[in-house]
Amino acid sequence: MTCRALKTAGWLAMASAFASIPLTYASFRLDGGADPVTNAIQIAIQLVGMTLFVAITLLLRRLLNARFGFHDADRSIDLMVMANVVASIASVVALCFPQWKEMLGGASLVIVVFQGIVQVRFGLRLLRLQDDLDGMLRPFCYLNVATGVCIASLVLIVVGVVVSAIADLMLGTIFFHLAKLEREPDSRGTGAQP
């Protein structure tokens, strides 16, 4: 990945970290509202959250594949992305068609539990990465495992959102650190020229 792509990924991860808690709070506060404005805000929250999650997760996969040749977490990443997209679509459909809300609500809970389990698997698989990411690999993996456990439990979803925000901050830091390392060889090479 280029330095620019790593920086972009870093900013997206930071945006997700800082937006996730307020967006989750807003979503909980608006839950149950039936007017079109409330539904539109809820749909926007779902779509923004889904877009950020998918973009960051796919950029992480690209980083793991391209820079480290690491593919052990690919299946988990694919499943997390699919589960997030399906859960988001189900939420949007439930907001647009209230008569389906109860049926889709049950299905969404199953998908959320599945997503939590897959996130635990992702964190454990990522521990196999040979590079320790300057000491950040293990904490990042453990944060993902903790997020997955909280989400899969359903009763600790709010805690999972907070832990996930911390994991996103760490991921943003990892992306920025790797961008800096990507840039340093260029600056050394430039400095060596007459």
Side-chain angles (χ1 to χ4, degrees), residues 11 13 37 53 66 92 98 106 115 117 122 127 154 161-162 178 180 185:
W11 284 116
V37 174
F53 180 84
V92 169
Q115 188 173 359
I117 293 167
F122 166 73
L127 282 168
L154 294 178
V161 170
V162 174
L178 292 173
K180 183 180 175 187

Side-chain angles (χ1 to χ4, degrees), residues 75-95:
R75 182 73 177 140
S76 296
I77 289 171
D78 290 343
L79 291 172
M80 286 192 308
V81 167
M82 285 189 293
N84 188 277
V85 169
V86 170
S88 296
I89 290 171
S91 295
V92 169
V93 170
L95 288 166

Side-chain angles (χ1 to χ4, degrees), residues 86-105:
V86 170
S88 296
I89 290 171
S91 295
V92 169
V93 170
L95 288 166
C96 294
F97 302 98
Q99 65 272 23
W100 295 356
K101 187 173 185 174
E102 191 174 314
M103 179 188 70
L104 290 172

Side-chain angles (χ1 to χ4, degrees), residues 144-160:
N144 272 281
V145 169
T147 299
V149 169
C150 291
I151 289 172
S153 75
L154 294 178
V155 295
L156 296 174
I157 284 183
V158 175
V159 176

Side-chain angles (χ1 to χ4, degrees), residues 37-120:
V37 174
T38 301
N39 284 347
I41 294 170
Q42 287 273 61
I43 290 169
I45 289 170
Q46 285 293 327
L47 294 177
V48 166
M50 178 191 71
T51 302
L52 277 173
F53 180 84
V54 170
I56 294 163
T57 306
L58 292 178
L59 284 166
L60 176 59
R61 178 184 174 164
R62 187 170 144 202
L63 170 71
L64 293 170
N65 291 173
R67 186 173 187 116
F68 303 109
F70 183 79
H71 297 275
D72 287 1
D74 286 359
R75 182 73 177 140
S76 296
I77 289 171
D78 290 343
L79 291 172
M80 286 192 308
V81 167
M82 285 189 293
N84 188 277
V85 169
V86 170
S88 296
I89 290 171
S91 295
V92 169
V93 170
L95 288 166
C96 294
F97 302 98
Q99 65 272 23
W100 295 356
K101 187 173 185 174
E102 191 174 314
M103 179 188 70
L104 290 172
S108 292
L109 288 178
V110 171
I111 295 166
V112 167
V113 170
F114 173 76
Q115 188 173 359
I117 293 167
V118 173
Q119 189 149 3
V120 169

